[in-house]
Amino acid sequence: MQNPAAKQNSGANDSAPSTAGHWASAFPIVEREDISAVTFSLTVRHPLMAKAARPGQFVIVMSHAEGERIPLTIADFDAAAGTITLVIQAVGKSTREMQRLCQVGTSLHGIAGPLGIPTPIEASTRSGAPPTIVCVGGGLGVAPVYPQARAWHDAGARVMGVLGFRNRNLVFWENKFRDVCDELILCTDDGSAGTQGMVTDGLRLALEAHPETSEVIAIGPPVMMRACAEVTRPHGIRTSVSLNPIMVDGTGMCGGCRVRVGGEVKFACVDGPDFDAHLVDFDDLASRLRRYGEEEADAMAQWETVCRRAEHTQADSLASALPDARG
Amino acid sequence: MAAKRTIRSIPQERTPVREQPPLERARNFVEVNLGYDASEAAREAQRCLFCADQPCVRGCPVSIDIPGFIRQICHEDHQGAYDTIARTNLLPAVCGRVCPQENQCEGVCTVGESLEPVAIGRLERYVGDLAIANDWARRPYISPTAYRVGIVGSGPAGMACAADLAKAGCQVTVFEALHLPGGVLRYGIPDFRLPGEVIDAEVANLEKLGVRFECNTVVGRLFTIEQMLEDLGFDAVFIGTGAGYPTMLGIPGDSLGGVLSANELLTRANLMQARDFPVHDTPIPLGKQVAVVGAGNTAMDAMRVCLRLGAEQVHCIYRRSRTEAPARAEEVHHAEQEGIEFHWLTNPVAVLDDGAGNVRAMRCVHMELGEPDDSGRRRPVPIPGSEFEFPCDQVVFAIGTNANPIIGQTSRLTLNRWGYLQTDDDLATSIDGVFAGGDIVTGAATVIEAMGAGRTAAAGIVRHLGIRDVRRRYDDGEERIFGIAAHERGHARVREVAALL
């Protein structure tokens, strides 16, 4: 990892693009929080991006020079502090490796963004009344839905939060949501915190309490977003989802992220990632997400072997160093 | 020099270039064309007639003094030859490799009227490679103008524009969306045609001129074109973002697992080094029977990459005949040598599912050529009842690209009806101080045309900023004045006089 101090410009000095980074430069990690055994957040200093970011946008991250480019939704941004925050779930080789190596004081090799079209935030409905918005986050999707909830709250909307986790140990950012939500429904699959049930149950409760709901925003795994779309479809409530197809460049150059929406082919990186949930072809999305299953498993297995070997070598060298130390 | 050369006195045969044997190279990523050595280059340089009317110079989009540098090769003044080329073309090692010379300099060479034309491209590459190996880049001291110019996109157009503006004394910053500079040279053209080290060397040359590269910067998203002028303090902007938005065919099954654009395949293989997976983390789909749809240079690159990744058989599916194929003749020839199977007059109508979301086959139809269309090529017409199943497990679409929408979405620049940027003859856009060139203006074209556009725009920017006569002093004491064309000089004085009055 690069020297983290090399590029630490202050948040105020962001008028020149000096923080964007030379092609060999790095982006310092200034804060890390371990949310659960597999979930962690990284706060990265990037004043220009912190200023440009809007709810609904994402970044492409490369943790090192041989790494892959992975898309991550911007979970929080603070223009004053000059930072953006990413919440990452360690599910495969790249994210597991980041969990291990990305500590405060290290840097990311590359981070490009903010990418995608920002979510439109309107201060009032057609009748002039403040809109009622339900923000649904499932699992890791709780993080990217947060900037949307905050933006709607700041625009004067009534915001209902519906957060779903598998169990109470995985709950995070509850307080951040309480600050920006008028009401919050917390659901856990096993009932260990909040209401017992899935986010769709929470969404149904929110819609019963607020039939005037003007829009639902749902972010989470594809199955969860699809289930939310089916809950709102009979009510005809506008529902927006943030799609997470496989991406490479994230700038509209390769079409790897193409999705079917209303029968048309769209590139999620430049036409989205937010789309009308009632028009999205979720089967197509799921099938495309499975494409690299085997390769992902290979990469993971290979990396675990390397890690184990490195640990053994470290243990060996420690063991061989010990007698000397005693001597 | 000795007796005047004539068409009879010069070596009659074009000096062949050494190449890796086809079946060997088809399985590695090492450069196919090994280039001339000193004696081969000297011999080929003997074939230039130094004819009076120099059609080759006019055939070159950036007007390299071709007889000039060939004469220097004859005199074994290789460094001089490099300086001659570098006066108009900063990327000889790139252009000598990837230009379609048969349609440019070599296509109009006088020798070519009776014999094979002089191998200008190979000679240019020879000089360019020597320059890289010996670090001949000349580092002039350039008197600064205090103007700052931002360049969007680090492909051939942006690099050429950056070079000229740096020589004009501007402080130049190039913004690149990806994590490595080079644009299509980096992500599109594979290593076996253009090694990554050549791009690195050319980028390093620009850095020596004072050009700064900022990667991971998506202009239009991180900041807009308008913000570059209003907030970031740039006096002028050049947009060279290319035409990298791939066209999909829009046939049933084109979102199946094994279907991808040539851009995605090439980006994974070249930029992300997926061929080294899992040493590099990016995976790449590995088909056994690969069908590549299209017959342009991108299709040739995609097919040859698939072979090298280990495909058993790679097929080219093209709806017209070989005569109409847009790829360079040499590329088609190379592909054939390596064992790619061509299926002319064949068009896919659907991609068929294996039941698990992957490709089992394509449904294709045979075509015949009808009347010429707008492009002058005979329009392919399906033959009724000729549909058949073509077994394959991976499909790559290399059927062209469109304008990337990001700049259009996020600025008030005027676009034409196809989404490309509208410019005037100077390559100025609808916003004062913003110029554009290359594929984002013309649609997909060649590397050298993009470089030509970058240089035209740089000249336009120099005039727009009113930069006059910048002094460049080289290490060896030589001085050159960079600046305006002769006819502009009088114009400048008139303007100065008017200002005094």
Side-chain angles (χ1 to χ4, degrees):
Chain A
M1 284 288 157
Q2 316 269 325
N3 171 14
K7 274 242 158 191
Q8 289 226 5
N9 291 24
S10 78
N13 180 24
D14 60 0
S15 58
S18 55
T19 45
H22 176 266
W23 56 299
S25 82
F27 303 88
I29 295 166
V30 294
E31 210 181 302
R32 164 168 167 152
E33 189 191 342
D34 286 277
I35 293 163
S36 75
V38 289
T39 315
F40 59 104
S41 78
L42 298 178
T43 298
V44 180
R45 182 176 302 284
H46 195 324
L48 272 179
M49 198 185 299
K51 204 162 86 172
R54 297 288 176 271
Q57 291 190 298
F58 66 98
V59 291
I60 295 269
V61 168
M62 255 181 109
S63 58
H64 56 84
E66 288 78 37
E68 58 182 337
R69 297 168 62 93
I70 59 170
L72 295 167
T73 311
I74 300 173
D76 200 359
F77 50 90
D78 184 337
T83 57
I84 66 150
T85 299
L86 308 170
V87 176
I88 302 158
Q89 194 164 28
V91 288
K93 193 251 174 182
S94 291
T95 44
R96 293 269 299 267
E97 189 180 43
M98 285 176 76
Q99 185 185 29
R100 201 171 151 137
L101 300 176
C102 292
Q103 305 291 344
V104 173
T106 68
S107 295
L108 296 174
H109 179 71
I111 178 167
L115 300 169
I117 297 176
T119 310
I121 308 281
E122 290 136 24
S124 59
T125 58
R126 227 171 287 151
S127 64
T132 302
I133 307 294
V134 180
C135 291
V136 188
L140 195 69
V142 165
V145 91
Y146 170 73
Q148 313 233 14
R150 180 174 63 184
W152 282 106
H153 170 81
D154 292 350
R158 290 179 56 77
V159 181
M160 309 298 129
V162 178
L163 309 183
F165 299 94
R166 279 210 312 278
N167 60 57
R168 66 176 303 159
N169 295 331
L170 299 173
V171 175
F172 68 95
W173 286 15
E174 189 184 342
N175 288 335
K176 278 180 94 142
F177 274 89
R178 292 219 182 269
D179 290 344
V180 297
C181 291
D182 295 85
E183 288 168 34
L184 188 67
I185 302 172
L186 181 64
C187 321
T188 48
D189 292 4
D190 62 0
S192 51
T195 334
Q196 197 261 317
M198 316 277 267
V199 277
T200 41
D201 301 319
L203 175 57
R204 278 194 200 94
L205 287 176
L207 294 181
E208 271 163 32
H210 297 280
E212 81 282 10
T213 297
S214 39
E215 185 170 344
V216 172
I217 299 160
I219 307 183
V223 279
M224 169 245 153
M225 292 194 286
R226 163 187 260 172
C228 289
E230 293 318 318
V231 171
T232 59
R233 198 188 298 272
H235 300 281
I237 298 171
R238 189 166 59 159
T239 303
S240 132
V241 286
S242 176
L243 299 191
N244 57 340
I246 290 170
M247 287 190 188
V248 184
D249 63 292
T251 62
M253 200 187 79
C254 80
C257 66
R258 60 194 191 278
V259 289
R260 283 192 179 277
V261 181
E264 278 180 67
V265 173
K266 301 274 185 192
F267 290 2
C269 69
V270 286
D271 301 319
D274 291 356
F275 292 101
D276 182 338
H278 297 148
L279 299 178
V280 169
D281 182 340
F282 283 100
D283 286 331
D284 182 67
L285 176 70
S287 124
R288 289 183 60 81
L289 280 170
R290 283 195 299 268
R291 178 65 178 104
Y292 290 100
E294 266 178 49
E295 287 88 348
E296 284 163 8
D298 277 359
M300 191 65 207
Q302 178 114 352
W303 183 70
E304 281 178 335
T305 313
V306 170
C307 287
R308 264 198 305 274
R309 212 172 286 154
E311 274 161 16
H312 288 160
T313 318
Q314 209 173 11
D316 288 351
S317 63
L318 272 178
S320 61
L322 275 176
D324 291 333
R326 271 201 302 268
Chain B
M1 203 177 33
K4 187 171 161 51
R5 291 180 188 174
T6 67
I7 195 80
R8 284 181 202 286
S9 73
I10 61 170
Q12 301 289 293
E13 300 283 316
R14 185 180 236 227
T15 315
V17 70
R18 288 161 299 126
E19 285 178 349
Q20 273 200 79
L23 295 177
E24 190 177 306
R25 73 184 189 228
R27 300 290 162 182
N28 68 47
F29 278 85
V30 177
E31 203 172 7
V32 167
N33 179 326
L34 303 171
Y36 280 159
D37 62 20
S39 64
E40 289 161 343
R43 181 174 186 277
E44 185 61 21
Q46 296 299 327
R47 298 184 71 236
C48 178
L49 294 174
F50 304 120
C51 53
D53 62 338
Q54 307 190 337
C56 54
V57 179
R58 290 194 304 279
C60 170
V62 296
S63 308
I64 295 175
D65 177 6
I66 293 165
F69 91 78
I70 293 183
R71 197 184 295 276
Q72 283 162 308
I73 295 178
C74 291
H75 294 166
E76 290 183 20
D77 175 13
H78 295 119
Q79 193 162 359
Y82 174 70
D83 289 343
T84 302
I85 297 173
R87 222 165 276 157
T88 48
N89 179 9
L90 208 85
L91 312 173
V94 172
C95 293
R97 284 175 168 84
V98 303
C99 275
Q101 288 102 1
E102 67 271 22
N103 306 325
Q104 298 172 343
C105 53
E106 294 178 14
V108 292
C109 170
T110 309
V111 174
E113 287 168 19
S114 25
L115 304 170
E116 279 245 79
V118 177
I120 300 167
R122 294 174 188 171
L123 289 173
E124 182 189 18
R125 171 187 159 175
Y126 170 71
V127 173
D129 284 353
L130 273 183
I132 292 173
N134 297 306
D135 196 18
W136 281 341
R138 302 225 293 164
R139 282 157 241 183
Y141 169 76
I142 302 166
S143 41
T145 58
Y147 284 118
R148 296 182 63 212
V149 182
I151 294 192
V152 186
S154 68
M159 279 163 81
C161 188
D164 275 8
L165 288 167
K167 288 178 187 167
C170 298
Q171 191 189 321
V172 181
T173 309
V174 181
F175 296 105
E176 167 58 48
L178 297 173
H179 57 280
L180 290 173
V184 73
L185 305 178
R186 182 78 66 176
Y187 74 76
I189 303 178
D191 271 11
F192 56 84
R193 285 217 292 133
L194 176 64
E197 304 84 68
V198 174
I199 309 165
D200 292 341
E202 306 287 28
V203 168
N205 274 346
L206 288 178
E207 291 186 314
K208 286 171 197 160
L209 281 177
V211 176
R212 267 181 63 184
F213 283 82
E214 297 271 1
C215 287
N216 297 300
T217 307
V218 185
V219 176
R221 297 272 190 239
L222 191 60
F223 45 78
T224 62
I225 300 292
E226 282 87 346
Q227 282 174 322
M228 288 176 75
L229 294 167
E230 288 156 19
D231 305 338
L232 299 179
F234 288 106
D235 301 294
V237 170
F238 172 75
I239 304 172
T241 48
Y245 193 83
T247 312
M248 301 307 288
L249 206 47
I251 56 176
D254 72 358
S255 63
L256 287 172
V259 184
L260 70 170
S261 73
N263 263 17
E264 180 178 356
L265 177 88
L266 292 171
T267 303
R268 286 176 183 270
N270 302 337
L271 175 75
M272 305 311 296
Q273 305 273 302
R275 62 170 191 260
D276 282 341
F277 180 83
V279 174
H280 283 74
D281 290 340
T282 303
I284 197 158
L286 292 173
K288 290 195 167 59
Q289 295 290 327
V290 183
V292 176
V293 181
N297 289 319
T298 311
M300 301 302 140
D301 284 343
M303 291 190 289
R304 297 172 71 193
V305 161
C306 288
L307 261 191
R308 283 157 175 79
L309 288 170
E312 280 167 18
Q313 184 63 54
V314 180
H315 307 268
C316 175
I317 311 286
Y318 186 53
R319 60 196 182 125
R320 300 180 203 248
S321 72
R322 181 176 184 147
T323 332
E324 290 83 22
R328 294 181 66 187
E330 188 192 345
E331 296 300 319
V332 179
H333 178 62
H334 273 148
E336 273 174 338
Q337 281 182 325
E338 290 172 11
I340 281 156
E341 236 174 69
F342 286 81
H343 305 265
W344 307 109
L345 292 164
T346 306
N347 203 29
V349 291
V351 186
L352 308 174
D353 194 336
D354 70 348
N358 297 316
V359 178
R360 168 172 64 85
M362 276 200 301
R363 178 162 293 287
C364 294
V365 63
H366 289 299
M367 311 291 277
E368 59 190 350
L369 292 178
E371 294 302 305
D373 64 10
D374 297 344
S375 73
R377 297 182 299 179
R378 293 177 64 194
R379 187 193 304 274
V381 187
I383 301 173
S386 67
E387 287 198 8
F388 66 103
E389 258 188 37
F390 187 97
C392 56
D393 56 4
Q394 190 184 338
V395 175
V396 180
F397 284 115
I399 53 171
T401 52
N402 291 314
N404 187 295
I406 292 181
I407 297 286
Q409 277 171 1
T410 56
S411 73
R412 51 187 168 80
L413 286 161
T414 307
L415 308 177
N416 69 18
R417 52 193 265 239
W418 299 281
Y420 295 105
L421 293 175
Q422 193 97 48
T423 59
D424 67 12
D425 292 345
D426 259 1
L427 295 179
T429 66
S430 58
I431 299 181
D432 198 35
V434 179
F435 292 69
D439 288 2
I440 189 61
V441 172
T442 58
T446 63
V447 167
I448 191 73
E449 281 170 294
M451 290 183 55
R455 304 199 66 219
T456 305
I461 290 172
V462 162
R463 278 196 296 275
H464 169 80
L465 296 174
I467 298 171
R468 303 291 169 199
D469 300 347
V470 175
R471 203 169 283 279
R472 275 189 279 157
R473 188 179 296 116
Y474 291 89
D475 304 340
D476 59 7
E478 186 201 337
E479 248 189 50
R480 222 176 262 144
I481 306 288
F482 178 94
I484 49 177
H487 66 273
E488 282 281 314
R489 239 155 252 201
H491 175 66
R493 275 197 294 278
V494 169
R495 272 230 294 247
E496 273 165 29
V497 170
L500 284 173
L501 290 172

